[in-house]
Amino acid sequence: MTTAVDIRDVTKIYSPDSSQAVTALENISLTINDNEFFTLLGPSGCGKTTLLRLIAGFEQVSGGEIMLFDKEIENLEPNRRSVNTVFQHYALFPHMTVADNVAFGLERLKKPKAEIKATVERVLTLVKMKELGDRRPNQLSGGQQQRVALARALAPSPKVLLLDEPLSALDLKLRQAMREELKQLQRETGITFVFVTHDQEEALAMSDRIAVMSNGEIQQIGRPTEIYEHPANRFVADFIGDTNFMDGEIVNLSDDLVTCRIGTQSLFETENSGHHKVGDQVTLSLRPEKIMLSVLESNNDANQRPGKVTNLIYLGNQTAYSVDMGDGIQLTAQARPREDGELPFAIGDSIAVSFSTRAMRVLAE
Amino acid sequence: MLPVGHYRGLSAWTAVFFIFLYLPIVVLIFYSFNANRMVMNWGGFGIDWYIKAFNNADIQKAVWNSLVVATVATGVATAIATIGALVLARGGNFRGKTVSLGLITLPLMVPEIVTAVAVLIFFSAIGMNLGLGNVIIAHITFCIPFAFMPIRARLEGMDTNLEQAARDLYASEWETFRFVTMPLLMPGIVAGAMLSFVISMDDFIITLMVGGAGSTTLPVYIYSMIRRGLTPEINAVSTMLLLASIAIVTAYWILSKKTQNTLNR
């Protein structure tokens, strides 16, 4: 597998000489593979946009190296790097037509006129904007401007395409449609995409791999399923999706199971990931959709525990239930509506709660 | 806020205000068509004074001087103001930035007579006597802040992402300026140039002080005509100067209307 972008020990400090020095990135290292849809995910201020701007060349690194296909680029001017950017607010040139915007990069690269014309037509067709080449950016809707920005960045056939929250300015329906289109565009062109977003749903839906960032550091890098199912720490588990956190203590270890005590006496078993010892204080994470709620029956199944519904939120395709398990344990779980559309449980119902030993995660602190 | 119609008597006061402001100018224009030799005695309609003014060699020379001074001063001042605005708006933070900004705009607040005396003393101290050249240099100094302000305002309102996008699309710094910054800045530059042109055409005190014999501009010439006695010829010349100013301001207004939406999408 070829490495497209190699970030080595990159640090970025803003105004390093003043008293207000801000460390935006601290010793970041990561590799992005060729032909990959790679997402930098994190809350605002986590350094994801800074990293993107370092790759594009709009900011200078304070330390470390950035390699683009084995070529050192961190000291090159932005126009000497074969990467192109799709800006958050598109940054289309208002004094040029759509076609001139798309041709801009090709003209600076001194491509022959005929080739420029053909390429402009090809990429505008690719983003379904062929008919609107004569328009000015201010005559286009937000979604159309988005497509032009994509076409303009794709036209010079960059080695890597950088996307800075390109969907954040669109409304919900359009955003969801553009997700699929972006993913398809990446597959068709085979260009490496580096996508910056704070929207975890967007990241899970489109990415081959995700780097979750917080406070200028990388928390975890992995495929969407790895990130969701095996969060490396509490931050990742909390930022990606919804989950129940419980504080506990490890009381027993076997080859493949960890027994944790939560509250004063409740014991839970979960898979042994091999990083813990008896007596460790740990945080456990349990996703709401992994919890099964059922009617409480008298024949006491070992896997089932009793609970009481304290609150519910109707969400249409499902209902979120707050369940009091006793011993100070509160869980949020999900249940689908019954076939007749009615809710399976009501507030105050006593119910049975169950989940598999593989559902609960012991998190590193 | 209440609609203005709510305040009684406001429209009457506004009318009085505008009459006070514009009536003298209307009277001036009216009497420029007077066929009588006396300024304030109406002797019937005529354009004799315009013809006379057009054929007056001194006036021709003064108009020519004014145009030369205004054109050259505007060109140089606008170029300097553009470079200054680019440095101040795009040059990042550097030592003395705030001071520079203050010094560029300060001449707007310095009384003109102070500048005039200072420039006059400066020229005689270094013994420089370039005739019209002295006037041009003096005009450049006070035109710079007028050219600078609209250019800087335009630059400040411009999205810096546009310039980054150009750099990202393989444009060098020069190409970025040539193809993105400059075209988007143009309305600001034109506005600055028109403003300094009008200011230069109109200037009296500094020109009177600095200009020697042979470098009389139109405002200075009109002043000397008044001292020799009022004739409707002065009205005619003033009216033409007014028309030229209005033409320039109108051109600027139309231009800025047309280009406004290119910046603000």
Side-chain angles (χ1 to χ4, degrees):
Chain A
M1 205 159 12
T2 321
T3 300
V5 183
D6 194 359
I7 311 282
R8 295 178 182 168
D9 260 344
V10 164
T11 297
K12 174 66 186 174
I13 302 166
Y14 286 105
S15 46
D17 303 323
S18 80
S19 56
Q20 295 136 20
V22 177
T23 306
L25 294 173
E26 198 155 11
N27 291 323
I28 296 271
S29 290
L30 63 89
T31 58
I32 299 166
N33 297 320
D34 191 16
N35 204 359
E36 188 173 40
F37 198 121
F38 192 91
T39 298
L40 299 169
L41 174 66
S44 57
C46 74
K48 55 191 193 298
T49 298
T50 301
L51 186 55
L52 198 78
R53 292 172 63 81
L54 288 174
I55 300 173
F58 304 142
E59 309 274 357
Q60 302 296 310
V61 294
S62 307
E65 291 168 353
I66 299 173
M67 314 288 285
L68 181 70
F69 288 94
D70 296 323
K71 192 175 149 221
E72 207 174 317
I73 60 162
E74 78 271 4
N75 292 320
L76 295 180
E77 294 284 298
N79 52 324
R80 305 256 175 239
R81 307 183 185 201
S82 24
V83 298
N84 288 131
T85 307
V86 177
F87 290 81
Q88 186 171 9
H89 299 290
Y90 322 134
L92 297 176
F93 305 128
H95 58 299
M96 298 181 196
T97 63
V98 165
D100 288 343
N101 263 280
V102 177
F104 190 87
L106 298 164
E107 277 165 2
R108 299 290 81 72
L109 290 171
K110 309 265 186 299
K111 300 278 186 205
K113 280 234 155 54
E115 189 190 325
I116 293 177
K117 196 162 176 283
T119 309
V120 168
E121 203 172 307
R122 183 174 56 78
V123 291
L124 281 180
T125 311
L126 195 65
V127 299
K128 307 186 183 84
M129 288 290 294
K130 191 174 163 237
E131 315 302 323
L132 302 176
D134 296 332
R135 296 274 185 95
R136 292 289 176 112
N138 61 359
Q139 296 169 310
L140 302 177
S141 70
Q144 289 171 329
Q145 291 184 31
Q146 169 71 81
R147 287 159 192 275
V148 176
L150 262 171
R152 186 178 70 172
L154 283 170
S157 303
K159 287 179 176 160
V160 173
L161 188 74
L162 308 173
L163 302 105
D164 184 12
E165 309 216 17
L167 306 183
S168 63
L170 303 176
D171 59 48
L172 183 67
K173 283 278 174 202
L174 197 54
R175 198 156 64 215
Q176 286 169 344
M178 281 304 286
R179 267 185 212 165
E180 285 172 37
E181 277 192 45
L182 268 182
K183 182 72 192 155
Q184 200 187 339
L185 208 58
Q186 194 267 330
R187 267 192 237 115
E188 279 173 21
T189 56
I191 293 173
T192 308
F193 277 34
V194 182
F195 187 88
V196 161
T197 184
H198 63 267
D199 184 334
Q200 41 108 3
E201 219 176 282
E202 226 167 75
L204 293 174
M206 291 192 288
S207 317
D208 293 320
R209 283 195 306 149
I210 299 170
V212 184
M213 297 179 67
S214 163
N215 291 326
E217 288 171 12
I218 291 174
Q219 303 296 323
Q220 188 176 3
I221 301 178
R223 289 181 288 112
T225 48
E226 285 169 358
I227 301 267
Y228 187 81
E229 294 293 341
H230 299 277
N233 54 36
R234 187 176 177 130
F235 175 83
V236 177
D238 195 22
F239 192 73
I240 314 282
D242 299 313
T243 195
N244 294 292
F245 285 120
M246 290 167 283
D247 295 320
E249 183 187 345
I250 295 178
V251 292
N252 193 24
L253 284 173
S254 69
D255 285 348
D256 42 82
L257 286 178
V258 181
T259 309
C260 297
R261 193 186 64 223
I262 299 170
T264 52
Q265 64 213 11
S266 308
L267 297 178
F268 290 92
E269 285 181 328
T270 178
E271 277 185 330
N272 187 354
S273 53
H275 301 299
H276 303 283
K277 56 182 194 298
V278 173
D280 278 359
Q281 300 289 326
V282 294
T283 302
L284 296 143
S285 163
L286 180 61
R287 300 275 186 202
E289 73 275 12
K290 308 264 170 162
I291 303 172
M292 260 97 61
L293 302 178
S294 50
V295 177
L296 191 62
E297 283 164 18
S298 51
N299 56 338
N300 209 344
D301 190 328
N303 289 329
Q304 291 193 347
R305 291 156 192 271
K308 200 176 175 106
V309 176
T310 57
N311 198 10
L312 63 81
I313 300 167
Y314 179 62
L315 299 168
N317 60 343
Q318 58 187 349
T319 306
Y321 286 95
S322 300
V323 181
D324 187 355
M325 306 279 293
D327 203 10
I329 304 171
Q330 298 277 344
L331 289 179
T332 304
Q334 290 171 354
R336 294 182 167 283
R338 294 197 318 227
E339 274 184 26
D340 63 3
E342 291 304 314
L343 301 182
F345 312 108
I347 293 174
D349 280 4
S350 289
I351 54 169
V353 178
S354 60
F355 45 87
S356 111
T357 53
R358 300 173 60 185
M360 193 139 64
R361 306 282 171 227
V362 182
L363 300 176
E365 278 307 306
Chain B
M1 214 172 101
L2 291 164
V4 283
H6 176 82
Y7 300 97
R8 296 170 90 209
L10 183 66
S11 40
W13 269 113
T14 310
V16 169
F17 169 76
F18 279 128
I19 288 168
F20 176 74
L21 209 58
Y22 287 108
L23 188 64
I25 296 175
V26 172
V27 170
L28 179 136
I29 296 171
F30 181 76
Y31 277 102
S32 74
F33 296 105
N34 194 353
N36 197 322
R37 222 196 110 63
M38 301 306 292
V39 174
M40 295 310 285
N41 288 345
W42 184 246
F45 180 86
I47 56 165
D48 306 358
W49 295 109
Y50 283 88
I51 294 163
K52 210 169 170 220
F54 264 112
N55 292 326
N56 183 330
D58 290 339
I59 291 180
Q60 284 173 5
K61 182 80 173 50
V63 167
W64 174 249
N65 279 349
S66 276
L67 287 176
V68 169
V69 169
T71 307
V72 178
T74 296
V76 178
T78 308
I80 293 172
T82 304
I83 294 165
L86 280 169
V87 171
L88 284 166
R90 291 290 186 272
N93 282 315
F94 55 88
R95 267 177 78 95
K97 183 175 174 174
T98 319
V99 177
S100 304
L101 186 61
L103 287 177
I104 289 176
T105 47
L106 191 65
L108 296 176
M109 281 156 275
V110 174
E112 205 187 342
I113 188 73
V114 175
T115 312
V117 171
V119 173
L120 180 63
I121 293 172
F122 175 74
F123 280 144
S124 62
I126 64 168
M128 195 164 99
N129 191 6
L130 302 173
L132 212 52
N134 282 15
V135 178
I136 290 173
I137 291 169
H139 277 226
I140 289 170
T141 58
F142 70 76
C143 279
I144 288 173
F146 287 99
F148 174 80
M149 285 190 307
I151 297 171
R152 176 162 177 268
R154 181 90 185 168
L155 260 179
E156 296 282 336
M158 205 190 290
D159 183 2
T160 50
N161 278 329
L162 293 173
E163 283 150 335
Q164 280 177 356
R167 296 304 309 278
D168 188 62
L169 291 161
Y170 312 107
S172 64
E173 279 189 49
W174 164 247
E175 286 171 322
T176 301
F177 179 74
R178 163 82 182 72
F179 295 115
V180 176
T181 315
M182 182 77 168
L184 291 173
L185 195 55
M186 216 49 201
I189 293 176
V190 172
M194 285 175 169
L195 203 55
S196 45
F197 191 86
V198 171
I199 295 289
S200 170
M201 279 293 279
D202 185 49
D203 181 73
F204 173 69
I205 298 176
I206 291 176
T207 317
L208 182 70
M209 289 277 203
V210 176
S215 47
T216 303
T217 61
L218 194 56
V220 175
Y221 183 78
I222 292 173
Y223 176 69
S224 68
M225 280 170 88
I226 291 171
R227 283 159 49 118
R228 274 183 264 130
L230 291 170
T231 67
E233 194 177 4
I234 297 171
N235 294 22
V237 173
S238 303
T239 303
M240 287 189 283
L241 190 59
L242 179 70
L243 277 178
S245 290
I246 290 174
I248 289 173
V249 172
T250 309
Y252 162 62
W253 187 77
I254 291 170
L255 198 79
S256 63
K257 276 279 159 200
K258 247 172 93 175
T259 51
Q260 207 165 34
N261 52 3
T262 63
L263 189 64
N264 303 327
R265 275 200 277 154

